[in-house]
């Protein structure tokens, strides 16, 4: 029998499909064949269904609730109200921001579509019919939907439950509708920089209220087993372990008796981080009835009552010299949090990481203050495909840079290059307290400029403007630039916790005797490709092919405790935990290899998938051989097996960055914006899977397009929500979405075990200002300084009309 020739080193690397390989997503087979397992696919014997009675008013007092007619409907099992939850102390639940939120409205409703009663029935159609029969007598109250009026003397009192509480979770409250004032930086120094400056620009910039709108809405199945006392929750949870802890705190059920499972999740984008009344009510209903209860919201409920994003009103001021050197930054934010402060931000930072607002620029002094206020809107403030208010911060600084360039009559790219943090300044301490790990901004911008031929674009634009002024065209060309630095990898316990839980993450790896492996993590994928990319990290670290590695997430009974997936923290935190667990296994394997090869450990070197004797690569032991040997007590007295657990608390955040260019043509007579070209260069450090990175960038840019060009949830003075259905809320299709051009530079993070920084949020962070800057640039020569998003056809046409450009 002929022996197979040994594989070359290049073939071994290729077979491994480790870090850097364009490995196809292993998850796709089941999704493309309709074999996914989502919450609504879960059907248990005897399962009941829940549905909510919701308020038609934005602000009203509940005078009475009559549920008799609903209870008389055949198949209706129960109708829960706040009065039913009070004896259980479950009528309010803690939010991730340290506030409390009504599970079911208690005496007052504070936003339209707030949950008032929970109907439980034998099927969802009976439940929906019974919802219509619950009679609620409301006394309508004046609604507050303008954040700028929230702190007025005569502003309506919204939160009667905390009206006398003048100390909030984040410090003093100065008004009954005030939540917090959060400040960072040197206020006096920033104000002095402004007073001494040769040039000052100021603008109030609003980042409108939008919604993540994942493909799958929120839902759960709760099942209480009264025999063993165990509560199981299947749900659309981005942080299942945190949900388990919160559920234990709320219900007083011991945490070991609660199992939380996140099956397949159809998109999250921050919308599925928090805890919603549907989860609590389903659990209570299951505890009371003794059978499983399912709740799944519809699209309108998702858009109008689950966590929104943004709604930041930002006043920015930049001080600079006449030649464009920035000397200071001052900004104040009025943050509309809705009826309850339910933001998913680290405890120490009620405005998230907004103090990354200095962006990519070497600004010597800066100050930021954020006032959070209550209004009669849905609560939330989630990180919609961004890391805790980073998108708002990036939008503000990138618009302010454009406004400064306009005032100085200076090319916006030249202004950026003049103020970039230099490569030799890293690690860089920002004026607002962050230590940027690494960067090479000038190289990235120069590569991007060359790729789009920036000088040629500006020459073309000059010709276009001349042609427009002569009446030869009705379209104006805009060139939008954005250069962003994001802060991701929420995890350093010294900086980040949620409700006292440090934002570390975890990985457990177990090698089987035959040389395959399983990795369990505290994260949960919502489309990021974890089963593909984390297997690649393990493959590189322990030398087992990625195709022989299984990944498990989302089950708190089997996965080690972790803080979940959001804010681009999977790779920076859980990816690091994975690499560190792999290195623990490799260290033990090296001991076994040295014993079997009869050499000292220091005489061995690691090569792709094996340990070999230095200078004698023919003498080696592969990882597969070592795995089998480890289960036979290869070294007398050494524990059998190869497995390890790593809980990783990162020393710092990571700071991916990018240079984006957008070229548009604006029809001044229709307001239609044609996106002619969009180029996105990202630097996310070490690239684990280039193909998945490209997909992530495509998805993030499409969401950025939606936000910049159309998404907006508004409220009228009566508290009625507009934009609460997909008839009004813009989701781009293939028709509106342009072709994306992607590119990269690579600047590894010096403190991450594999140098990775994270990329999933970056295209949303950088994409929105790039789109907005392009639209503004089209009108810049006609005197436009700033106009608010979104830049839909109507608003763009209005801008052209105000500038006197329409017929």
């Amino acid at each position: 029998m002929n022996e197979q020739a040994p594989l070359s080193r290049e073939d071994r690397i290729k077979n491994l499909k480790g870090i850097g390989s364009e490995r196809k997503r292993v998850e796709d087979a089941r999704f493309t064949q309709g074999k996914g397992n989502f919450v609504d696919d879960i059907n248990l014997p005897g399962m009941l269904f829940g549905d909510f009675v919701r308020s038609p008013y934005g602000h009203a007092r509940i005078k009475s609730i009559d549920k008799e007619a609903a209870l008389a409907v055949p198949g209706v099992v129960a109708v829960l109200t706040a009065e039913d939850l009070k004896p259980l102390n479950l009528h309010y639940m803690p939010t991730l921001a340290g506030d409390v939120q009504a599970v079911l409205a208690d005496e007052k409703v504070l936003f339209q579509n707030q949950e008032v009663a929970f109907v439980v029935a034998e099927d969802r159609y009976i439940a929906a019919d019974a919802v219509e029969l619950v009679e609620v007598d409301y006394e309508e109250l004046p609604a507050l939907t303008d954040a700028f009026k929230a702190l007025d003397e005569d502003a309506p009192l919204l939160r009667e439950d905390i009206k006398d509480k003048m100390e909030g979770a984040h410090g003093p409250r100065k008004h009954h509708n005030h939540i917090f004032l959060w400040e960072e930086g040197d206020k006096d120094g920033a104000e002095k920089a402004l007073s001494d400056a040769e040039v000052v620009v100021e603008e109030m910039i609003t980042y409108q209220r939008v919604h993540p709108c994942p493909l799958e809405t929120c839902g759960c199945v709760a099942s209480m087993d009264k025999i063993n006392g165990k509560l199981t929750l299947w749900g659309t949870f981005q942080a299942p372990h945190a949900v388990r802890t919160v559920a234990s705190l709320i219900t007083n059920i011991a945490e070991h008796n609660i199992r939380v499972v996140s099956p397949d999740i159809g998109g999250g984008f921050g919308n599925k981080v928090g805890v919603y009344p549907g989860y609590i009510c389903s659990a209570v209903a299951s505890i009371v009835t003794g059978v499983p209860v399912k709740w799944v919201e519809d699209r309108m409920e998702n858009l109008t009552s689950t966590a929104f994003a943004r709604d930041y009103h930002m006043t920015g001021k930049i001080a600079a010299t006449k030649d464009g050197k920035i000397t200071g930054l001052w900004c104040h934010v009025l943050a509309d949090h809705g009826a309850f402060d339910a933001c998913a931000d680290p405890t120490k930072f009620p405005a998230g990481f907004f103090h990354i607002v200095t962006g990519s620029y070497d600004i010597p002094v800066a100050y930021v203050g954020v006032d959070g206020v209550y209004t009669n809107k849905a609560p939330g403030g989630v990180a919609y495909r961004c890391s805790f208010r980073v998108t708002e911060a990036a939008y503000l600084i990138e618009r302010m840079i454009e406004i400064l360039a306009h005032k100085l009559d200076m090319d916006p790219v030249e202004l950026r290059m003049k103020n970039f943090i230099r490569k030799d300044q890293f690690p860089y301490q920002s004026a607002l307290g962050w230590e940027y790990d690494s960067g090479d901004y000038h190289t990235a911008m120069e590569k991007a400029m060359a790729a789009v031929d920036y000088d040629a674009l500006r020459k073309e634009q000059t010709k276009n403007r001349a042609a427009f002024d002569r009446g030869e065209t009705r379209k104006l060309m805009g060139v939008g630039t954005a250069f962003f630095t994001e802060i991701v990898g929420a995890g350093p316990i010294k900086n980040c916790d949620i409700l006292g839980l440090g934002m570390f993450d975890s990985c457990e790896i177990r090698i089987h005797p035959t040389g395959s492996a399983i990795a369990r993590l505290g994260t949960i994928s919502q489309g990021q490709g974890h089963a593909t990319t984390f297997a690649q990290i393990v493959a590189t670290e322990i030398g087992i092919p990625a195709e022989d590695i299984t990944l498990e997430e989302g089950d708190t009974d089997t996965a080690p405790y972790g803080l979940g997936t959001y804010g681009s923290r999977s790779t920076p935190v859980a990816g690091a935990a994975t690499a560190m667990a792999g290195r623990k296994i490799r260290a033990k394997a090296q001991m076994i290899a040295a014993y079997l090869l009869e050499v000292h450990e220091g005489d061995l070197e690691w090569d792709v998938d094996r340990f070999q004797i230095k200078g004698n690569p023919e003498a080696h032991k592969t990882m597969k051989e070592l795995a089998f040997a480890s289960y036979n007590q290869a070294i007398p007295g050494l524990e059998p097996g190869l497995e390890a657990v790593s809980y990783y608390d990162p020393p710092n955040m990571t700071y991916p960055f990018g240079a984006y260019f957008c070229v548009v043509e604006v029809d001044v007579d229709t307001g239609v914006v044609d996106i002619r070209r969009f180029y996105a260069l990202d630097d996310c450090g070490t690239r684990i899977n280039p193909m998945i990175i490209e997909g992530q960038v495509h998805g993030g840019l499409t969401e950025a397009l939606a936000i910049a060009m159309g998404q907006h949830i508004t409220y009228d003075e009566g508290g009625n929500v507009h934009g609460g259905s997909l008839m009004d809320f813009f989701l781009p299709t293939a028709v509106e979405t342009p072709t994306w051009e992607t590119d990269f530079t690579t600047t590894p993070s010096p403190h991450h075990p594999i140098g990775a920084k994270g990329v999933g949020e970056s295209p949303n962070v950088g994409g929105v200002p790039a789109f907005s800057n392009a639209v503004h640039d089209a009108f810049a020569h006609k005197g436009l300084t700033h106009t608010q998003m979104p830049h839909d056809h109507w608003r763009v046409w209005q801008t052209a009309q105000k500038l006197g450009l329409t017929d």
Side-chain angles (χ1 to χ4, degrees):
M1 186 173 180
N2 294 329
E3 288 189 14
Q4 191 173 8
L7 293 175
S8 67
R9 189 174 190 275
E10 289 73 20
D11 285 338
R12 289 190 284 122
I13 292 172
K14 184 177 179 181
N15 288 347
L16 203 63
K17 290 186 170 64
I19 293 172
S21 299
E22 291 196 346
R23 184 188 183 211
K24 288 187 177 180
R25 283 169 41 111
V26 299
E27 299 93 332
D28 289 346
R30 73 176 188 275
F31 292 134
T32 56
Q33 296 178 40
K35 302 296 184 182
N37 181 37
F38 298 91
V39 170
D40 208 20
D41 293 322
I42 297 170
N43 291 295
L44 303 176
M47 187 168 68
L48 301 175
F49 297 83
D51 199 359
F52 280 110
V53 177
R54 295 180 179 273
S55 169
Y57 297 104
H59 192 199
R61 196 169 303 282
I62 298 173
K63 299 176 71 175
S64 66
I65 301 174
D66 186 347
K67 49 190 180 181
E68 294 305 315
L71 287 169
V73 175
V76 172
V77 176
V79 179
L80 301 178
T81 67
E83 292 303 313
D84 299 306
L85 299 182
K86 281 181 180 179
L88 305 172
N89 200 30
L90 289 174
H91 58 306
Y92 276 87
M93 62 181 182
T95 72
L96 297 180
D99 198 358
V100 291
Q101 177 176 345
V103 176
L104 294 172
D106 180 25
E107 299 183 0
K108 281 212 312 182
V109 293
L110 293 171
F111 62 94
Q112 191 176 63
N113 271 0
Q114 184 178 352
E115 301 84 353
V116 175
F118 189 65
V119 176
V120 184
E122 292 174 357
D123 70 44
R124 64 180 58 197
Y125 302 102
I126 294 174
D129 288 343
V131 161
E132 300 299 322
L133 297 176
V134 176
E135 295 183 12
V136 185
D137 186 10
Y138 297 97
E139 176 191 345
E140 189 172 5
L141 300 171
L144 173 64
T145 58
D146 184 346
F148 288 95
K149 297 179 180 179
L151 303 182
D152 289 352
E153 278 191 28
D154 59 349
L157 170 64
L158 305 187
R159 292 288 301 277
E160 292 182 356
D161 59 307
I162 57 170
K163 64 180 179 180
D164 298 322
K165 187 178 179 182
M166 298 315 293
E167 187 76 19
H170 307 292
R173 300 172 63 226
K174 58 189 177 185
H175 185 278
H176 54 73
N177 292 331
H178 188 242
I179 307 172
F180 62 80
L181 169 61
W182 176 73
E183 298 176 288
E184 288 283 355
D186 181 355
K187 186 176 183 179
D188 292 340
E191 291 176 349
K192 185 176 188 307
L194 289 167
S195 65
D196 293 346
E198 296 175 343
V199 177
V200 174
V201 292
E202 177 178 356
E203 190 64 57
M204 203 289 288
I205 296 173
T206 291
Y207 201 132
Q208 75 276 19
R209 174 176 283 237
V210 294
H211 194 279
C213 196
L215 183 64
E216 177 196 28
T217 59
C218 296
C220 74
V221 175
S223 180
M224 183 69 191
D225 187 329
K226 293 193 174 182
I227 302 299
N228 62 24
K230 186 150 187 170
L231 173 66
T232 302
L233 289 171
W234 292 266
T236 51
F237 310 129
Q238 288 184 237
H241 285 96
V243 168
R244 185 185 69 183
T245 300
V246 171
S248 178
L249 293 171
I250 292 173
T251 63
N252 288 321
I253 298 174
E255 196 162 354
H256 71 278
N257 280 329
I258 300 176
R259 179 189 179 197
V260 175
V261 182
S262 289
D264 290 327
I265 299 179
F269 314 119
N271 187 233
K272 296 170 181 173
V273 174
V275 175
Y276 294 118
Y279 305 158
I280 306 300
C281 289
S282 298
V284 171
S286 181
I287 291 169
V288 170
T289 62
V291 295
V293 176
K294 177 188 284 189
W295 165 74
V296 177
E297 64 183 0
D298 64 28
R299 179 58 61 190
M300 188 170 287
E301 290 174 313
N302 181 258
L303 281 169
T304 59
S305 64
T306 62
F308 73 95
R310 320 302 191 240
D311 217 344
Y312 258 35
H313 307 277
M314 308 173 287
T315 300
K317 300 177 185 179
I318 287 183
T321 62
K322 290 179 180 178
D323 64 352
K325 187 64 179 174
I326 297 173
T327 57
L329 172 69
W330 181 100
C331 58
H332 177 265
V333 178
L334 185 63
D336 189 337
H337 284 240
F340 306 99
D341 185 8
C343 288
D345 290 324
T347 303
K348 295 177 184 177
F349 305 124
F353 301 150
F354 186 83
H355 45 318
I356 193 74
V357 70
T358 51
S360 310
Y361 309 104
D362 183 16
I363 300 177
V365 62
Y367 163 79
V368 59
V370 181
D371 274 301
V373 297
Y374 292 119
T375 61
N376 289 124
K377 299 178 183 178
V382 298
Y384 172 9
R385 199 157 187 157
C386 83
S387 181
F388 305 124
R389 303 293 190 175
V390 171
T391 299
E392 292 93 322
Y395 183 64
L396 175 62
I397 188 62
E398 287 304 290
R399 282 298 304 128
M400 291 301 297
I401 289 288
E402 293 283 317
I403 292 166
L404 177 60
H406 184 265
K407 182 162 186 174
L408 294 172
D409 194 22
M410 190 174 184
D411 182 272
V413 170
E414 181 187 350
L415 179 62
R416 287 177 170 86
M417 296 281 273
K418 181 184 285 284
N419 288 283
F420 276 159
I421 302 163
R422 300 187 313 275
K423 183 179 180 180
D424 61 11
Q425 290 179 274
F426 290 94
Y428 173 81
Q429 192 74 29
S430 80
L432 291 174
W434 293 114
E435 184 183 281
Y436 294 20
D437 55 355
S438 63
D440 189 353
Y441 299 164
H442 289 89
T443 296
M445 180 63 95
E446 287 163 1
K447 183 175 183 180
M449 290 173 66
V452 300
D453 199 347
Y454 182 72
D455 291 341
L457 287 175
R458 288 301 184 190
K459 290 176 182 176
E460 182 185 354
Q461 185 182 49
T462 299
K463 292 179 181 178
N464 165 262
R465 289 173 173 176
F468 182 89
D469 291 342
R470 293 193 299 267
E472 296 171 4
T473 180
R474 300 297 295 157
K475 294 184 178 181
L476 286 171
M477 178 181 171
V479 181
T481 310
F483 197 102
F484 65 92
T485 295
E486 196 183 2
I487 177 172
V488 302
I493 294 175
K494 63 183 180 182
N495 291 328
C496 302
D497 73 279
I498 290 184
L499 295 182
L501 298 171
M503 296 180 71
F504 60 87
D505 231 294
S506 57
C507 178
E508 173 196 292
I509 302 174
R510 184 172 300 164
I511 312 299
H512 304 311
T514 52
S516 60
I518 183 169
R520 294 187 174 99
L521 291 97
T523 48
I524 176 65
S525 178
Q526 309 113 47
Q528 293 93 338
H530 288 182
T532 304
T533 54
F534 282 120
Q536 291 180 256
I537 296 173
V538 176
T540 293
E541 293 295 340
I542 65 174
I544 291 176
E547 63 185 19
D548 293 334
I549 299 166
T550 297
L551 185 95
E552 285 187 4
E553 301 175 294
D555 188 336
T556 60
D557 269 10
T558 59
Y561 203 106
L563 270 291
T565 297
Y566 43 87
S568 274
R569 64 185 306 277
S570 293
T571 296
V573 189
T578 302
M580 298 305 285
R583 291 176 190 183
K584 289 180 182 180
I585 287 173
R586 200 167 76 201
K588 184 176 180 182
Q590 184 171 0
M591 293 169 56
I592 298 171
Y595 182 83
L596 296 176
L597 292 169
E598 299 181 338
V599 295
H600 188 274
E601 289 176 45
D603 294 327
L604 297 179
E605 62 184 0
W606 174 254
D607 185 57
V608 184
D609 60 353
R610 64 194 60 187
F611 282 103
Q612 61 192 28
I613 296 177
K614 294 176 182 177
N616 184 15
E618 298 302 318
H620 66 264
K621 290 293 179 181
T622 67
M623 199 65 188
K624 199 162 188 176
E625 292 171 323
L626 294 170
F628 199 85
S630 73
Y631 280 86
N632 192 29
Q633 203 172 23
I635 302 176
L638 184 70
E639 281 188 355
L642 279 178
E643 55 186 71
V645 178
S646 175
Y647 285 82
Y648 185 77
D649 176 23
N652 189 11
M653 316 288 276
T654 60
Y655 296 79
F657 58 90
Y660 289 6
F661 283 93
C662 178
V663 183
V664 300
E665 288 182 343
V666 178
D667 188 321
V668 297
D669 295 318
T670 64
V672 172
V673 178
D674 178 41
I675 299 161
R676 202 176 83 185
R677 186 177 185 186
F678 198 103
Y679 168 90
L681 179 149
D682 281 280
D683 193 314
C684 60
T686 300
R687 293 160 60 83
I688 299 169
N689 186 319
M691 189 161 53
I692 285 184
I693 290 172
E694 186 172 4
Q696 289 270 45
V697 173
H698 285 193
L701 288 175
T702 303
E703 288 181 301
L705 167 70
I707 292 168
M709 309 307 286
Q711 287 188 349
H712 196 188
I713 292 180
T714 61
Y715 289 76
D716 65 22
E717 291 183 354
N720 299 299
V721 59
H722 302 162
S725 79
L726 296 186
M727 293 293 290
D728 323 279
F729 193 70
F730 175 49
L731 289 187
T733 68
V735 174
E736 296 90 3
T737 305
T739 299
W740 308 116
E741 299 175 54
T742 60
D743 205 345
F744 67 95
T745 55
T746 302
T747 311
S749 172
H751 62 77
H752 190 279
I754 62 172
K757 292 187 173 185
V759 74
E761 322 285 1
S762 293
N764 200 349
V765 173
V768 172
F771 285 117
S772 185
N773 287 344
V775 174
H776 283 96
D777 186 66
F779 294 112
H781 70 299
K782 296 299 183 181
L784 180 68
T785 301
H786 181 73
T787 186
Q788 307 295 2
M789 287 193 296
H791 305 300
D792 56 40
H793 300 168
W794 171 247
R795 288 180 174 86
V796 172
W797 179 82
Q798 284 185 310
T799 297
Q801 185 187 49
K802 289 175 183 176
L803 293 172
L805 304 180
T806 57
D807 288 335

